[in-house]
Short mmCIF file of all heavy atoms in Angstrom, two decimals:
data_model
loop_
_atom_site.label_atom_id
_atom_site.label_comp_id
_atom_site.label_asym_id
_atom_site.label_seq_id
_atom_site.Cartn_x
_atom_site.Cartn_y
_atom_site.Cartn_z
N ALA A 1291 105.66 118.92 125.36
CA ALA A 1291 105.58 119.28 123.95
C ALA A 1291 106.54 118.40 123.15
O ALA A 1291 107.67 118.16 123.59
CB ALA A 1291 105.93 120.74 123.74
N ILE A 1292 106.07 117.92 122.02
CA ILE A 1292 106.84 116.98 121.20
C ILE A 1292 106.84 117.46 119.76
O ILE A 1292 105.82 117.92 119.26
CB ILE A 1292 106.22 115.58 121.26
CG1 ILE A 1292 106.20 115.04 122.67
CG2 ILE A 1292 106.95 114.62 120.34
CD1 ILE A 1292 105.37 113.79 122.84
N TYR A 1293 107.99 117.31 119.11
CA TYR A 1293 108.07 117.63 117.69
C TYR A 1293 108.90 116.56 116.97
O TYR A 1293 109.95 116.13 117.48
CB TYR A 1293 108.71 119.00 117.46
CG TYR A 1293 108.77 119.37 115.99
CD1 TYR A 1293 107.62 119.79 115.32
CD2 TYR A 1293 109.95 119.27 115.27
CE1 TYR A 1293 107.64 120.11 113.97
CE2 TYR A 1293 110.00 119.59 113.93
CZ TYR A 1293 108.85 120.01 113.28
OH TYR A 1293 108.88 120.31 111.94
N PHE A 1294 108.41 116.14 115.82
CA PHE A 1294 109.08 115.09 115.03
C PHE A 1294 109.03 115.45 113.56
O PHE A 1294 107.98 115.83 113.04
CB PHE A 1294 108.38 113.75 115.26
CG PHE A 1294 108.83 112.64 114.35
CD1 PHE A 1294 110.07 112.05 114.53
CD2 PHE A 1294 108.02 112.18 113.34
CE1 PHE A 1294 110.49 111.02 113.70
CE2 PHE A 1294 108.42 111.15 112.51
CZ PHE A 1294 109.66 110.56 112.69
N MET A 1295 110.16 115.38 112.91
CA MET A 1295 110.19 115.55 111.46
C MET A 1295 111.30 114.66 110.91
O MET A 1295 112.44 114.74 111.35
CB MET A 1295 110.44 117.00 111.05
CG MET A 1295 110.39 117.20 109.53
SD MET A 1295 110.57 118.93 109.03
CE MET A 1295 112.28 119.23 109.50
N ALA A 1296 110.95 113.80 109.95
CA ALA A 1296 111.95 112.89 109.40
C ALA A 1296 111.59 112.52 107.97
O ALA A 1296 110.42 112.37 107.63
CB ALA A 1296 112.07 111.64 110.26
N ASN A 1297 112.62 112.35 107.17
CA ASN A 1297 112.44 111.84 105.82
C ASN A 1297 112.32 110.33 105.85
O ASN A 1297 112.89 109.66 106.73
CB ASN A 1297 113.64 112.22 104.94
CG ASN A 1297 113.63 113.68 104.56
OD1 ASN A 1297 112.64 114.39 104.76
ND2 ASN A 1297 114.75 114.14 104.03
N TRP A 1298 111.58 109.80 104.89
CA TRP A 1298 111.58 108.35 104.72
C TRP A 1298 112.99 107.89 104.39
O TRP A 1298 113.77 108.62 103.78
CB TRP A 1298 110.67 107.93 103.57
CG TRP A 1298 109.24 108.37 103.65
CD1 TRP A 1298 108.59 109.20 102.79
CD2 TRP A 1298 108.28 107.99 104.65
NE1 TRP A 1298 107.29 109.36 103.18
CE2 TRP A 1298 107.06 108.63 104.32
CE3 TRP A 1298 108.34 107.18 105.78
CZ2 TRP A 1298 105.91 108.48 105.08
CZ3 TRP A 1298 107.19 107.02 106.54
CH2 TRP A 1298 106.00 107.66 106.20
N GLU A 1299 113.33 106.69 104.80
CA GLU A 1299 114.61 106.13 104.40
C GLU A 1299 114.68 106.03 102.87
O GLU A 1299 115.72 106.24 102.27
CB GLU A 1299 114.82 104.76 105.04
CG GLU A 1299 116.24 104.27 104.94
CD GLU A 1299 116.51 103.14 105.92
OE1 GLU A 1299 115.87 102.09 105.79
OE2 GLU A 1299 117.35 103.33 106.83
N HIS A 1300 113.54 105.72 102.27
CA HIS A 1300 113.43 105.73 100.80
C HIS A 1300 112.19 106.54 100.44
O HIS A 1300 111.07 106.12 100.67
CB HIS A 1300 113.35 104.31 100.25
CG HIS A 1300 114.60 103.52 100.49
ND1 HIS A 1300 115.75 103.73 99.79
CD2 HIS A 1300 114.87 102.55 101.40
CE1 HIS A 1300 116.70 102.91 100.23
NE2 HIS A 1300 116.19 102.19 101.21
N LYS A 1301 112.43 107.72 99.89
CA LYS A 1301 111.35 108.64 99.60
C LYS A 1301 110.50 108.15 98.42
O LYS A 1301 110.95 107.36 97.59
CB LYS A 1301 111.92 110.01 99.27
CG LYS A 1301 112.74 110.63 100.39
CD LYS A 1301 113.33 111.97 99.93
CE LYS A 1301 114.26 112.55 100.98
NZ LYS A 1301 114.88 113.82 100.52
N PHE A 1302 109.29 108.64 98.37
CA PHE A 1302 108.40 108.38 97.24
C PHE A 1302 108.72 109.39 96.13
O PHE A 1302 109.04 110.55 96.41
CB PHE A 1302 106.94 108.53 97.66
CG PHE A 1302 106.46 107.44 98.58
CD1 PHE A 1302 106.76 107.47 99.94
CD2 PHE A 1302 105.70 106.39 98.09
CE1 PHE A 1302 106.31 106.47 100.79
CE2 PHE A 1302 105.24 105.38 98.94
CZ PHE A 1302 105.56 105.42 100.29
N ASP A 1303 108.62 108.95 94.92
CA ASP A 1303 108.85 109.81 93.77
C ASP A 1303 107.57 110.62 93.52
O ASP A 1303 106.52 110.04 93.20
CB ASP A 1303 109.19 108.98 92.54
CG ASP A 1303 109.52 109.82 91.32
OD1 ASP A 1303 109.33 111.05 91.38
OD2 ASP A 1303 109.95 109.24 90.32
N PRO A 1304 107.62 111.96 93.65
CA PRO A 1304 106.41 112.77 93.42
C PRO A 1304 105.80 112.57 92.04
O PRO A 1304 104.59 112.75 91.87
CB PRO A 1304 106.91 114.21 93.60
CG PRO A 1304 108.13 114.08 94.46
CD PRO A 1304 108.77 112.78 94.06
N LYS A 1305 106.63 112.19 91.07
CA LYS A 1305 106.12 111.98 89.71
C LYS A 1305 105.18 110.79 89.63
O LYS A 1305 104.37 110.69 88.71
CB LYS A 1305 107.29 111.79 88.74
CG LYS A 1305 108.17 113.02 88.58
CD LYS A 1305 109.32 112.76 87.63
CE LYS A 1305 110.22 113.98 87.50
NZ LYS A 1305 111.38 113.72 86.60
N LYS A 1306 105.30 109.88 90.60
CA LYS A 1306 104.44 108.70 90.61
C LYS A 1306 103.15 108.92 91.41
O LYS A 1306 102.28 108.04 91.45
CB LYS A 1306 105.19 107.49 91.17
CG LYS A 1306 106.34 107.03 90.28
CD LYS A 1306 106.97 105.76 90.84
CE LYS A 1306 108.08 105.25 89.94
NZ LYS A 1306 108.71 104.02 90.45
N THR A 1307 103.06 110.05 92.08
CA THR A 1307 101.85 110.36 92.85
C THR A 1307 100.73 110.72 91.89
O THR A 1307 100.88 111.61 91.04
CB THR A 1307 102.09 111.52 93.83
OG1 THR A 1307 103.12 111.14 94.76
CG2 THR A 1307 100.82 111.88 94.59
N GLN A 1308 99.62 110.02 92.00
CA GLN A 1308 98.48 110.24 91.12
C GLN A 1308 97.19 110.29 91.93
O GLN A 1308 97.09 109.70 93.00
CB GLN A 1308 98.37 109.12 90.07
CG GLN A 1308 99.58 109.02 89.15
CD GLN A 1308 99.42 107.90 88.14
OE1 GLN A 1308 98.48 107.11 88.20
NE2 GLN A 1308 100.34 107.84 87.19
N ASP A 1309 96.21 111.00 91.40
CA ASP A 1309 94.91 111.03 92.06
C ASP A 1309 94.29 109.64 92.05
O ASP A 1309 94.38 108.92 91.05
CB ASP A 1309 93.97 112.01 91.35
CG ASP A 1309 94.32 113.46 91.65
OD1 ASP A 1309 95.10 113.69 92.59
OD2 ASP A 1309 93.82 114.36 90.95
N GLY A 1310 93.70 109.27 93.17
CA GLY A 1310 93.03 107.98 93.27
C GLY A 1310 91.80 108.11 94.15
O GLY A 1310 91.57 109.14 94.79
N THR A 1311 91.02 107.07 94.20
CA THR A 1311 89.77 107.09 94.97
C THR A 1311 89.99 106.49 96.36
O THR A 1311 90.56 105.41 96.50
CB THR A 1311 88.67 106.29 94.25
OG1 THR A 1311 88.43 106.87 92.97
CG2 THR A 1311 87.38 106.28 95.06
N PHE A 1312 89.55 107.22 97.37
CA PHE A 1312 89.58 106.72 98.75
C PHE A 1312 88.15 106.55 99.22
O PHE A 1312 87.34 107.49 99.15
CB PHE A 1312 90.32 107.69 99.66
CG PHE A 1312 90.55 107.16 101.05
CD1 PHE A 1312 91.71 106.47 101.36
CD2 PHE A 1312 89.60 107.35 102.05
CE1 PHE A 1312 91.92 105.97 102.63
CE2 PHE A 1312 89.79 106.85 103.33
CZ PHE A 1312 90.96 106.15 103.62
N THR A 1313 87.82 105.35 99.70
CA THR A 1313 86.48 105.05 100.21
C THR A 1313 86.45 105.23 101.72
O THR A 1313 87.15 104.52 102.44
CB THR A 1313 86.05 103.62 99.84
OG1 THR A 1313 86.13 103.45 98.42
CG2 THR A 1313 84.63 103.35 100.31
N ALA A 1314 85.69 106.18 102.19
CA ALA A 1314 85.62 106.49 103.61
C ALA A 1314 84.86 105.42 104.38
O ALA A 1314 84.22 104.54 103.80
CB ALA A 1314 84.98 107.85 103.82
N LEU A 1315 84.88 105.55 105.70
CA LEU A 1315 84.22 104.57 106.56
C LEU A 1315 82.72 104.49 106.29
O LEU A 1315 82.12 103.41 106.37
CB LEU A 1315 84.47 104.93 108.03
CG LEU A 1315 84.06 103.91 109.08
CD1 LEU A 1315 84.81 102.59 108.89
CD2 LEU A 1315 84.33 104.47 110.49
N ASP A 1316 82.13 105.61 105.93
CA ASP A 1316 80.68 105.62 105.66
C ASP A 1316 80.34 105.21 104.23
O ASP A 1316 79.18 105.25 103.82
CB ASP A 1316 80.09 106.99 105.97
CG ASP A 1316 80.64 108.09 105.06
OD1 ASP A 1316 81.45 107.79 104.15
OD2 ASP A 1316 80.28 109.26 105.27
N GLY A 1317 81.35 104.83 103.44
CA GLY A 1317 81.11 104.38 102.08
C GLY A 1317 81.23 105.46 101.03
O GLY A 1317 81.25 105.16 99.83
N SER A 1318 81.34 106.71 101.44
CA SER A 1318 81.49 107.80 100.47
C SER A 1318 82.89 107.76 99.86
O SER A 1318 83.84 107.27 100.47
CB SER A 1318 81.23 109.15 101.14
OG SER A 1318 82.18 109.39 102.17
N GLU A 1319 83.00 108.29 98.65
CA GLU A 1319 84.27 108.26 97.94
C GLU A 1319 84.78 109.67 97.70
O GLU A 1319 84.00 110.61 97.52
CB GLU A 1319 84.12 107.53 96.61
CG GLU A 1319 83.78 106.05 96.75
CD GLU A 1319 83.71 105.33 95.41
OE1 GLU A 1319 83.65 106.04 94.37
OE2 GLU A 1319 83.71 104.09 95.40
N SER A 1320 86.11 109.83 97.71
CA SER A 1320 86.73 111.11 97.41
C SER A 1320 88.00 110.86 96.62
O SER A 1320 88.59 109.77 96.67
CB SER A 1320 87.05 111.87 98.70
OG SER A 1320 87.94 111.12 99.52
N THR A 1321 88.42 111.87 95.87
CA THR A 1321 89.64 111.78 95.08
C THR A 1321 90.78 112.44 95.85
O THR A 1321 90.67 113.61 96.25
CB THR A 1321 89.46 112.47 93.72
OG1 THR A 1321 88.40 111.84 93.01
CG2 THR A 1321 90.74 112.38 92.90
N VAL A 1322 91.85 111.69 96.10
CA VAL A 1322 92.98 112.19 96.88
C VAL A 1322 94.29 111.82 96.18
O VAL A 1322 94.34 110.86 95.40
CB VAL A 1322 92.98 111.60 98.31
CG1 VAL A 1322 91.71 111.97 99.05
CG2 VAL A 1322 93.14 110.08 98.27
N PRO A 1323 95.39 112.56 96.46
CA PRO A 1323 96.68 112.19 95.88
C PRO A 1323 97.23 110.93 96.53
O PRO A 1323 97.38 110.88 97.75
CB PRO A 1323 97.56 113.41 96.17
CG PRO A 1323 96.91 114.08 97.33
CD PRO A 1323 95.45 113.82 97.21
N MET A 1324 97.49 109.91 95.74
CA MET A 1324 97.99 108.62 96.23
C MET A 1324 99.46 108.45 95.83
O MET A 1324 99.81 108.48 94.65
CB MET A 1324 97.16 107.47 95.67
CG MET A 1324 95.68 107.55 95.97
SD MET A 1324 95.25 107.29 97.72
CE MET A 1324 95.40 105.52 97.83
N MET A 1325 100.32 108.28 96.83
CA MET A 1325 101.74 108.02 96.58
C MET A 1325 101.93 106.55 96.23
O MET A 1325 101.14 105.70 96.66
CB MET A 1325 102.57 108.39 97.80
CG MET A 1325 102.39 109.83 98.25
SD MET A 1325 103.42 110.27 99.67
CE MET A 1325 102.69 109.27 100.98
N GLN A 1326 102.98 106.25 95.50
CA GLN A 1326 103.22 104.87 95.07
C GLN A 1326 104.71 104.59 95.07
O GLN A 1326 105.53 105.43 94.70
CB GLN A 1326 102.64 104.63 93.68
CG GLN A 1326 102.87 103.20 93.16
CD GLN A 1326 102.13 102.94 91.87
OE1 GLN A 1326 100.98 103.34 91.71
NE2 GLN A 1326 102.78 102.28 90.93
N GLN A 1327 105.06 103.35 95.49
CA GLN A 1327 106.46 102.95 95.50
C GLN A 1327 106.58 101.44 95.46
O GLN A 1327 105.84 100.73 96.16
CB GLN A 1327 107.15 103.49 96.76
CG GLN A 1327 108.62 103.20 96.82
CD GLN A 1327 109.32 103.82 98.03
OE1 GLN A 1327 110.47 103.52 98.29
NE2 GLN A 1327 108.62 104.66 98.80
N ASP A 1328 107.49 100.93 94.61
CA ASP A 1328 107.87 99.52 94.65
C ASP A 1328 109.02 99.43 95.64
O ASP A 1328 110.04 100.12 95.48
CB ASP A 1328 108.33 99.03 93.28
CG ASP A 1328 107.22 99.08 92.24
OD1 ASP A 1328 106.07 98.82 92.62
OD2 ASP A 1328 107.51 99.40 91.08
N LEU A 1329 108.90 98.61 96.65
CA LEU A 1329 109.95 98.59 97.67
C LEU A 1329 110.05 97.24 98.36
O LEU A 1329 109.14 96.41 98.30
CB LEU A 1329 109.71 99.69 98.71
CG LEU A 1329 108.60 99.50 99.77
CD1 LEU A 1329 108.76 100.52 100.87
CD2 LEU A 1329 107.21 99.60 99.17
N ARG A 1330 111.17 97.08 99.01
CA ARG A 1330 111.42 95.92 99.85
C ARG A 1330 111.47 96.42 101.29
O ARG A 1330 112.25 97.30 101.63
CB ARG A 1330 112.75 95.27 99.48
CG ARG A 1330 113.10 94.06 100.33
CD ARG A 1330 114.40 93.42 99.85
NE ARG A 1330 114.82 92.35 100.73
CZ ARG A 1330 115.93 91.63 100.55
NH1 ARG A 1330 116.73 91.90 99.51
NH2 ARG A 1330 116.25 90.67 101.38
N THR A 1331 110.63 95.85 102.10
CA THR A 1331 110.53 96.32 103.49
C THR A 1331 109.89 95.23 104.33
O THR A 1331 109.55 94.16 103.84
CB THR A 1331 109.71 97.61 103.55
OG1 THR A 1331 109.79 98.15 104.87
CG2 THR A 1331 108.24 97.39 103.20
N ASN A 1332 109.71 95.50 105.62
CA ASN A 1332 109.05 94.54 106.50
C ASN A 1332 107.54 94.58 106.29
O ASN A 1332 106.93 95.66 106.24
CB ASN A 1332 109.39 94.85 107.96
CG ASN A 1332 110.81 94.48 108.31
OD1 ASN A 1332 111.36 93.52 107.75
ND2 ASN A 1332 111.42 95.23 109.21
N TYR A 1333 106.94 93.39 106.18
CA TYR A 1333 105.53 93.23 105.85
C TYR A 1333 104.98 92.05 106.63
O TYR A 1333 105.71 91.12 106.99
CB TYR A 1333 105.40 92.99 104.34
CG TYR A 1333 104.04 92.47 103.89
CD1 TYR A 1333 103.02 93.33 103.54
CD2 TYR A 1333 103.81 91.09 103.82
CE1 TYR A 1333 101.78 92.85 103.13
CE2 TYR A 1333 102.58 90.59 103.42
CZ TYR A 1333 101.56 91.48 103.08
OH TYR A 1333 100.36 90.99 102.68
N ALA A 1334 103.68 92.07 106.90
CA ALA A 1334 103.03 90.92 107.54
C ALA A 1334 101.63 90.76 106.99
O ALA A 1334 100.88 91.73 106.85
CB ALA A 1334 102.98 91.10 109.05
N SER A 1335 101.28 89.52 106.65
CA SER A 1335 99.91 89.17 106.30
C SER A 1335 99.33 88.45 107.50
O SER A 1335 99.82 87.41 107.92
CB SER A 1335 99.88 88.24 105.07
OG SER A 1335 98.56 87.87 104.76
N LEU A 1336 98.29 89.04 108.07
CA LEU A 1336 97.75 88.59 109.35
C LEU A 1336 96.30 88.20 109.22
O LEU A 1336 95.63 88.57 108.26
CB LEU A 1336 97.86 89.73 110.37
CG LEU A 1336 99.24 90.36 110.54
CD1 LEU A 1336 99.10 91.80 110.98
CD2 LEU A 1336 100.06 89.57 111.54
#
């Protein structure tokens, strides 16, 4: 049995969370809460 709970090192501001469109694998769309953050972190373009 495993349990994990941790805060982000830099949390997202709930005030910046807005509804946005998510396109599923089958092409259908749904409206979901999208978090947003400007940040500096590790990234890779592959």
